[in-house]
Amino acid sequence: MERVKIKLRLTPEHDFRATLDYREEQDGFLPAMPTDLSQAFQNWQMTYRQLDEVRSHIAPKPGSRNASAEASAPAESPAPRQRLTVRQVTHHSSYDHADEVKTQLNRWLNTEDSRWKRIREDLISIAGEFCRSGEQIPMLLDADDIQLRRLPWQEWDLFADYSFQTEIALRVKGHPGEDIKPPRKQRRVRILVVVGRSDGIRTHDDLALLKQLKKRGAEVVALIQPTVRELCKALWDRQGYHIFVFTGHSGSRADGQIGWIEVNEHDSLGIEELKHALKAAIDQGLQLAIFNSCDGLGLANQLAQLNLPRSIVMREPVPDDVAVEFLEHFFDAFSSNESLFTSLHRARQQLEHFNVPQEARPFYPGVMWLPTLCTRQSAFDQSLTWKGMMDPAKQIPVRSLTFSILGLALIGTLVDVCWRRSLCVPNPTPEATFQDVSVPQGTWRYGGSTTWAPVRGQVDPIIEQTHPEFNLVYTQHPTLPEGSGTGIQMVLNDQISFSQSSRPLNDAEYETARNRRFELKQVPVAVDGIAVVVHPDLPIERLTLQQVSRIYAGDITNWREVGGPDLEIRPLSRSPYGGTVEFFQENVLGDRNFADHVEFIDSTTLALRQVEDDAQIGAIYYASAPEVVPQCGVKPLPISRSAGTNPIAPYQGEFVPPEDCPNRRNEINLEAIQNEDYPLTRRLFVIIKQNDQGDEAAGEAYANLLLTREGQSLLEEAGFIPLR
């Protein structure tokens, strides 16, 4: 799923430097926040907090341990806020103030200032793109200014006009360079629920809802007004938790930086006082904290500093009936395996009826603005789902498999399949088609090997026609050249969901993945050959593997040394980031390096132009057979494994000379490559990130599609050898 990021930073002139990040960055400026908007928000906030008969603040109880919160809070800060208990509400003025906030917000964000207008126009284009695909727009707002963080950005009419599926998260910052921990694989989703001091509010309803999640595969551990020792002991549990839920009284400092929770009748604790226990839970794989209580922006900010990936908090004091209903709607969607963004979006929307004045029932204009997702940027780029936190269904170990149907005894020893990483492949039925394969909905970035270019041009569009909900976007690295190594590096760095590779993974890449708390998996889907090409007029008919090796190592520098004319050899190669080059280095050069005079070219197209040049016919180049064998301007050479053995051509039959092309073209010698009679053969792999999230599902689906009968047939049409 693609994501949108907006970064806003206050300048000395009080406007905001803006950066829109979607595929590429766009810079601009947002004018200073208008006084009318600031005043409208303050008016709404004041009337909302002063609803009739609402006990929105509680004085600290004698002997409560609130030193860290009180010491750091400004003098004018209120005491900790609670979830609200409402007896009667008649304040229609708050409805008018909420409407005025929306009016002023849209007046500001729809300004005709050209510096912001180009950002808005890009957002309209992006929103339209997502809307056409029916996808949700996950958006991250990166703003330090507390006023910006409290505004209801989802009320911008741009989103209503172009997409109804927009959810905006606030960025919270952790320590630079500290990677977030992936979810710990467990059979059930483990949830720690802490019911804090809750006089006057219905936390028993929250707890009852959460316990119902056991039917959805959750293990719920509940602490009712625990002592500090009991809470710390639970957080230190070595089994770890996926989700932490606090329900009860809590609060945050006015600047949104510091928060606290009231865990029982006597103890009000700041995050700083629980940091070691919380850090232990986070290091064990805690993914999400939910504070179904008051004003939690400070809590989210501090937990991010402890490396927590995500929090859901309320931006203001939350009425009790709203809090209960929000929790119900959120977990109903999330435990059904909807994404975190979709679950929050739906839960917020289902609070809409609280905005509407109703007879004999309280209403809270603007209450839909309260639930807020706060996320680290690194977590924003990763999906979190219910099933993604659960242990995947385990296969029965092959070695212990027995047959009991009709008393059939175990016969023979089964082949040791999938015990080696490089041989593990999905197993769609041989006759399956694209339509038979389940795919995850969304937009998935992928990239990697240039060898795969025919697949991206001929096969992937047919996949998208069959599964329009499976949107594939080929993504290049912003600075590095295309290639297998670059694609694998982008998977490791969370820049793409999966990659296409023309070489297997190496030990260093496996190790890097493990250090980042996930595994890489390679799935072979086709066989390919490497063709060596020269100018058609060069009187060279064949080479041995040893001769090719010595040419690129610098031992042979003139064509006369291999039976050709007295002409200098110009060895050309793709850049070292490509899988083809790495395969060539390992399988042709062995333990030797490329000679200093080897010219590295950015693309096969540019290299072929140099080989075709009539003025310098001494060039030699190697590339994937589908890329070069059908070309009219070059001659692929037959290759023999050693002197005295028969050379095998990478093309079928007799060589088609340039004068007969393009009416006739050389066709790839599929049989020789499939049988590995041709010396330079290799496998093509889909590289999958095993993180139990959307990226893994997308990679597995893509590999499964290519391994169907339809996929294998299309790979053959693209010039590759079917694996099946």
Side-chain angles (χ1 to χ4, degrees):
M1 181 180 290
E2 294 196 87
R3 294 154 193 271
V4 181
K5 303 172 187 176
I6 300 178
K7 181 178 180 180
L8 297 172
R9 290 292 182 267
L10 188 64
T11 72
E13 291 75 30
H14 301 291
D15 57 6
F16 298 93
R17 180 181 297 276
T19 302
L20 173 63
D21 184 2
Y22 176 72
R23 298 181 183 171
E24 60 183 23
E25 290 189 355
Q26 170 73 277
D27 293 323
F29 282 88
L30 177 63
M33 185 187 298
T35 303
D36 288 347
L37 173 57
S38 180
Q39 187 61 54
F41 185 82
Q42 289 179 26
N43 290 341
W44 167 79
Q45 192 177 53
M46 179 178 63
T47 54
Y48 173 82
R49 293 183 179 184
Q50 294 180 352
L51 294 172
D52 286 348
E53 309 258 8
V54 172
R55 292 179 295 167
S56 60
H57 302 93
I58 296 180
K61 292 201 168 190
S64 66
R65 219 175 74 190
N66 196 27
S68 65
E70 291 176 347
S72 56
E76 69 274 15
S77 298
R81 303 184 181 95
Q82 63 162 352
R83 276 167 45 164
L84 307 183
T85 305
V86 182
R87 298 176 184 172
Q88 182 182 5
V89 177
T90 57
H91 274 255
H92 293 268
S93 61
S94 58
Y95 186 89
D96 298 330
H97 289 312
D99 194 56
E100 182 65 13
V101 170
K102 291 187 283 186
T103 299
Q104 295 299 333
L105 177 70
N106 279 284
R107 187 171 296 169
W108 180 43
L109 296 179
N110 292 328
T111 176
E112 290 300 313
D113 189 314
S114 61
R115 301 177 304 168
W116 174 252
K117 190 175 181 181
R118 59 175 174 263
I119 298 283
R120 186 172 72 244
E121 289 173 349
D122 277 1
L123 277 172
I124 290 173
S125 176
I126 294 168
E129 180 180 330
F130 276 83
C131 186
R132 286 190 297 273
S133 66
E135 296 176 20
Q136 185 194 52
I137 305 179
M139 183 173 292
L140 182 68
L141 177 65
D142 181 359
D144 293 336
D145 187 88
I146 188 61
Q147 292 187 76
L148 293 183
R149 295 169 70 81
R150 290 191 181 277
L151 288 176
W153 288 80
Q154 60 270 26
E155 296 290 355
W156 190 4
D157 57 18
L158 180 149
F159 301 128
D161 292 342
Y162 294 93
S163 172
F164 294 98
Q165 299 297 318
T166 303
E167 188 58 47
I168 301 174
L170 298 180
R171 182 189 177 188
V172 284
K173 298 179 182 179
H175 293 294
E178 188 173 6
D179 292 336
I180 62 172
K181 301 295 190 297
R184 190 174 181 179
K185 296 182 180 181
Q186 305 210 38
R187 189 172 299 277
R188 290 176 169 270
V189 175
R190 295 200 82 218
I191 304 175
L192 176 61
V193 182
V194 176
V195 179
R197 186 161 71 87
S198 51
D199 43 299
I201 56 178
R202 304 192 328 262
T203 53
H204 58 277
D205 289 345
D206 298 37
L207 187 58
L209 284 169
L210 292 167
K211 286 184 175 180
Q212 289 295 313
L213 293 174
K214 294 178 181 179
K215 299 177 181 178
R216 301 280 183 98
E219 178 184 350
V220 180
V221 178
L223 301 178
I224 313 299
Q225 296 194 26
T227 65
V228 177
R229 181 179 181 181
E230 290 171 338
L231 176 56
C232 289
K233 182 179 179 181
L235 290 169
W236 277 97
D237 188 335
R238 290 186 179 181
Q239 281 188 266
Y241 300 94
H242 298 107
I243 302 173
F244 172 83
V245 180
F246 176 82
T247 175
H249 297 303
S250 69
S252 288
R253 202 171 67 180
D255 62 1
Q257 297 300 306
I258 304 294
W260 54 87
I261 58 176
E262 298 190 33
V263 297
N264 55 48
E265 295 293 326
H266 308 287
D267 297 304
S268 181
L269 302 177
I271 297 300
E272 182 67 20
E273 295 169 284
L274 290 170
K275 68 177 182 180
H276 295 299
L278 287 166
K279 189 70 167 67
I282 293 167
D283 289 342
Q284 293 283 4
L286 184 66
Q287 296 297 302
L288 173 67
I290 301 175
F291 292 91
N292 203 30
S293 53
C294 285
D295 195 358
L297 290 178
L299 295 166
N301 180 68
Q302 288 180 282
L303 286 168
Q305 292 291 312
L306 297 179
N307 209 32
L308 181 70
R310 313 160 185 86
S311 300
I312 293 177
V313 300
M314 300 292 178
R315 295 193 225 198
E316 295 287 337
V318 55
D320 199 37
D321 44 356
V322 174
V324 174
E325 193 165 320
F326 168 76
L327 204 63
E328 176 185 6
H329 295 319
F330 172 78
F331 273 109
D332 181 61
F334 192 55
S335 65
S336 299
N337 212 42
E338 296 287 357
S339 73
L340 192 61
F341 273 81
T342 298
S343 301
L344 181 63
H345 186 71
R346 290 184 179 177
R348 272 201 315 99
Q349 288 187 320
Q350 290 181 82
L351 301 178
E352 184 177 36
H353 63 92
F354 286 112
N355 281 340
V356 181
Q358 300 177 60
E359 189 173 338
R361 182 170 180 177
F363 75 99
Y364 319 102
V367 79
M368 289 175 63
W369 306 342
L370 271 57
T372 305
L373 173 62
C374 300
T375 176
R376 294 271 304 277
Q377 181 159 318
S378 51
F380 176 68
D381 295 328
Q382 302 178 14
S383 297
L384 180 70
T385 62
W386 187 262
K387 288 184 179 178
M389 295 184 289
M390 299 176 72
D391 219 34
K394 295 182 178 179
Q395 297 180 352
I396 301 173
V398 171
R399 299 175 190 178
S400 64
L401 184 63
T402 59
F403 296 93
S404 59
I405 300 176
L406 300 178
L408 183 63
L410 176 65
I411 53 175
T413 302
L414 297 178
V415 178
D416 198 10
V417 178
C418 283
W419 289 99
R420 293 172 56 105
R421 292 173 298 195
S422 61
L423 297 181
C424 288
V425 299
N427 192 30
T429 60
E431 295 304 311
T433 65
F434 285 167
Q435 195 66 52
D436 298 323
V437 177
S438 297
V439 300
Q441 184 175 350
T443 296
W444 309 100
R445 295 189 181 193
Y446 71 123
S449 173
T450 57
T451 298
W452 283 69
V455 179
R456 293 190 285 271
Q458 297 172 236
V459 183
D460 293 354
I462 299 176
I463 289 175
E464 291 184 296
Q465 288 174 14
T466 308
H467 292 287
E469 74 278 17
F470 189 55
N471 186 31
L472 299 174
V473 177
Y474 180 70
T475 305
Q476 298 184 31
H477 193 279
T479 57
L480 297 178
E482 295 176 85
S484 298
T486 298
I488 294 168
Q489 192 62 44
M490 292 173 73
V491 171
L492 290 169
N493 293 337
D494 297 325
Q495 293 170 295
I496 55 178
S497 297
F498 61 90
S499 72
Q500 302 164 323
S501 180
S502 56
R503 59 132 173 113
L505 291 161
N506 58 45
D507 290 342
E509 289 158 347
Y510 278 122
E511 185 65 27
T512 299
R514 282 192 291 269
N515 290 339
R516 297 181 183 182
R517 302 295 183 89
F518 58 84
E519 294 286 338
L520 288 181
K521 174 182 177 181
Q522 58 185 25
V523 178
V525 295
V527 180
D528 181 34
I530 303 294
V532 178
V533 297
V534 296
H535 193 283
D537 293 340
L538 184 70
I540 292 290
E541 300 305 322
R542 63 183 64 85
L543 288 172
T544 67
L545 273 180
Q546 185 182 30
Q547 287 172 332
V548 175
S549 176
R550 296 184 66 200
I551 286 171
Y552 276 89
D555 298 332
I556 298 175
T557 59
N558 193 292
W559 284 113
R560 68 184 175 190
E561 299 176 62
V562 291
D566 185 5
L567 182 67
E568 181 184 359
I569 299 176
R570 290 185 58 231
L572 309 178
S573 173
R574 277 289 311 278
S575 65
Y577 290 93
T580 303
V581 181
E582 295 178 57
F583 174 87
F584 188 87
Q585 168 88 58
E586 181 176 347
N587 293 276
V588 178
L589 289 176
D591 58 357
R592 307 187 68 184
N593 295 321
F594 285 100
D596 292 339
H597 67 284
V598 173
E599 300 176 45
F600 291 98
I601 311 298
D602 287 340
S603 72
T604 291
T605 300
L606 295 175
L608 291 179
R609 287 177 185 170
Q610 296 200 36
V611 176
E612 296 169 2
D613 189 351
D614 292 334
Q616 28 186 350
I617 66 171
I620 183 173
Y621 182 66
Y622 64 92
S624 172
E627 291 183 285
V628 295
V629 166
Q631 299 296 323
C632 295
V634 296
K635 178 173 66 175
L637 293 177
I639 304 293
S640 58
R641 295 185 185 277
S642 60
T645 61
N646 291 329
I648 306 296
Y651 52 84
Q652 296 180 26
E654 296 295 324
F655 174 68
V656 178
E659 55 267 24
D660 294 342
C661 189
N663 293 327
R664 292 172 54 219
R665 289 183 183 272
N666 287 294
E667 296 182 10
I668 297 170
N669 192 347
L670 299 177
E671 182 178 355
I673 294 174
Q674 188 173 44
N675 296 335
E676 297 190 4
D677 292 334
Y678 181 71
L680 292 173
T681 61
R682 58 177 176 172
R683 289 187 173 191
L684 302 184
F685 299 91
V686 178
I687 306 300
I688 300 172
K689 181 179 184 180
Q690 294 185 289
N691 61 351
D692 291 331
Q693 297 182 17
D695 290 342
E696 180 175 3
E700 292 281 6
Y702 184 70
N704 277 330
L705 287 161
L706 296 181
L707 287 169
T708 61
R709 173 179 54 80
E710 185 177 3
Q712 293 285 284
S713 177
L714 288 170
L715 285 171
E716 185 173 2
E717 290 180 20
F720 299 103
I721 314 302
L723 192 67
R724 296 178 168 179

